[in-house]
Amino acid sequence: MTKTIQGETVPVLGFGTFELKGPEGEAAIRTAIELGYRQIDTAIRYGNEVDVGRAVRTSGVPRNELFVTTKIWFDDLAPETVARRVDESLDRLGFDQVELLLVHWPAKDIPLGETLAAFADAKAQGKTRLIGVSNFTVALLDEALDVHKAELFCNQVEYHPFLSQEKLLARMRQADMLLNAYQPIARGKVFASDLLNDLGRRYGKSASQITLRWHIQQKNVGAIPRSSKLENIIANRDLFDFELSPEDMAAIHGLARGERYTRFDWEPDWD
């Protein structure tokens, strides 16, 4: 299943690779590709671009069928550093181009306009097909889109039933951007939800599958779950033989209570 964002086709379900490295990580990534995942998410900070690249090349799936994302850390966002990091990432991956290059976290001491200009240069040079950001608030998106006129495709943020992103989603839909959800099953906390478990029994699915289906049924939303376990990689993929009713979608939205599980000293002032 794909979605069309800004005229670009993107797989709606991705495979997150955080903490998947070395032979075991490479095997998990390759298995995910072989099982049908076509969007693969990595980052310089994950330390596994070599493993991701090798998994892609040995999967037997043509490179042009995969949508690969990587990200640059917040202390590497000065223009001259961006250019080096992009080249280093491509070298580690073994690719001429990635599909999507993201700002991993906003920098507080590097002008955003300079960073976005460097990202636009990487796109103009053909080193990435699309550019975007991660962990950006509405205010930061407003600056990027309205002040710097950046052509952003995606904002990757924490999003799950216990954390509303209503304000951010409204702004992103206005710009026809993709919200790619990390931590989509709230670090497993969805399995403790009576509602999600009840819905799972009704639809013949798990609480995780119900949650991921809730993500991908929303306009301009995708999800990038991560797992190293074969049974979870398979289960997270099996979302396309059922559809949640509008009433059940609304009930899941009603679980939001402002719970954010990714917290760091360098995070922005969240919406």
Side-chain angles (χ1 to χ4, degrees), residues 37-56:
Y37 290 82
R38 291 296 178 263
Q39 182 191 157
I40 307 298
D41 181 83
T42 185
I44 294 172
R45 188 76 170 186
Y46 299 171
N48 66 357
E49 288 175 315
V50 170
D51 305 304
V52 169
R54 190 180 295 116
V56 167

Side-chain angles (χ1 to χ4, degrees), residues 1-3 9-17 29 32-33 36-42 52 56 61 63 65-71 99-100 102 153-154 156 178-182 216 221-225:
M1 180 179 176
T2 60
K3 289 187 178 181
T9 300
V10 58
V12 72
L13 181 68
F15 186 73
T17 68
I29 297 162
I33 296 170
Y37 290 82
R38 291 296 178 263
Q39 182 191 157
I40 307 298
D41 181 83
T42 185
V52 169
V56 167
V61 175
R63 175 69 185 88
E65 293 183 12
L66 294 167
F67 189 102
V68 179
T69 299
T70 196
K71 316 178 198 69
E99 280 63 47
L100 180 60
L102 300 182
F153 179 79
C154 172
Q156 188 181 116
L178 173 70
L179 187 155
N180 231 4
Y182 69 76
I216 66 174
V221 176
I224 44 173

Side-chain angles (χ1 to χ4, degrees), residues 17-38:
T17 68
F18 178 61
E19 295 182 331
L20 298 181
K21 59 176 67 174
E24 290 185 0
E26 179 187 331
I29 297 162
R30 182 168 52 250
T31 295
I33 296 170
E34 292 169 350
L35 288 171
Y37 290 82
R38 291 296 178 263

Side-chain angles (χ1 to χ4, degrees), residues 12-253:
V12 72
L13 181 68
F15 186 73
T17 68
F18 178 61
E19 295 182 331
L20 298 181
K21 59 176 67 174
E24 290 185 0
E26 179 187 331
I29 297 162
R30 182 168 52 250
T31 295
I33 296 170
E34 292 169 350
L35 288 171
Y37 290 82
R38 291 296 178 263
Q39 182 191 157
I40 307 298
D41 181 83
T42 185
I44 294 172
R45 188 76 170 186
Y46 299 171
N48 66 357
E49 288 175 315
V50 170
D51 305 304
V52 169
R54 190 180 295 116
V56 167
R57 291 192 300 276
T58 59
S59 67
V61 175
R63 175 69 185 88
N64 62 7
E65 293 183 12
L66 294 167
F67 189 102
V68 179
T69 299
T70 196
K71 316 178 198 69
I72 298 178
W73 197 244
F74 65 80
D75 56 4
D76 284 336
L77 294 176
E80 62 278 6
T81 310
V82 167
R84 288 199 304 272
R85 295 294 177 262
V86 170
D87 288 342
E88 291 165 358
S89 284
L90 292 175
D91 184 61
R92 284 188 292 267
L93 288 162
F95 301 162
D96 294 325
Q97 182 189 66
V98 290
E99 280 63 47
L100 180 60
L101 178 70
L102 300 182
V103 172
H104 202 154
W105 285 87
K108 296 183 178 179
D109 57 351
I110 300 171
L112 179 57
E114 294 180 9
T115 296
L116 294 173
F119 272 58
D121 285 344
K123 180 180 177 181
Q125 293 167 21
K127 296 177 180 180
T128 182
R129 187 151 59 86
L130 302 161
I131 62 172
V133 295
S134 186
N135 299 299
F136 268 44
T137 61
V138 171
L140 285 166
L141 281 183
D142 284 344
E143 180 184 350
L145 297 170
D146 299 337
V147 177
H148 304 298
K149 308 301 181 184
E151 297 179 352
L152 300 181
F153 179 79
C154 172
N155 185 17
Q156 188 181 116
V157 295
E158 180 179 349
Y159 184 36
H160 46 71
F162 312 125
L163 177 66
S164 173
Q165 292 287 13
E166 183 178 359
K167 290 174 63 177
L168 185 64
L169 254 177
R171 181 66 180 96
M172 292 179 65
R173 286 171 177 152
Q174 185 182 48
D176 193 23
M177 291 176 62
L178 173 70
L179 187 155
N180 231 4
Y182 69 76
Q183 302 283 11
I185 62 170
R187 296 187 177 177
K189 290 180 173 58
V190 298
F191 293 107
S193 165
D194 290 340
L195 172 66
L196 295 171
N197 283 307
D198 287 346
L199 289 174
R201 283 187 285 272
R202 177 141 51 91
Y203 285 93
K205 296 291 180 178
S206 69
S208 173
Q209 290 169 315
I210 293 294
T211 302
L212 293 172
R213 182 70 204 189
W214 170 79
H215 281 92
I216 66 174
Q217 274 188 221
Q218 296 179 61
K219 182 181 178 183
N220 288 69
V221 176
I224 44 173
R226 182 207 72 89
S227 182
S228 60
K229 297 180 179 179
L230 178 60
E231 60 269 28
N232 292 338
I233 294 173
I234 293 171
N236 290 345
R237 176 204 62 179
D238 291 341
L239 310 176
F240 306 109
D241 57 351
F242 75 108
E243 184 172 341
L244 295 169
S245 71
E247 294 78 14
D248 292 335
M249 290 288 291
I252 298 171
H253 279 293

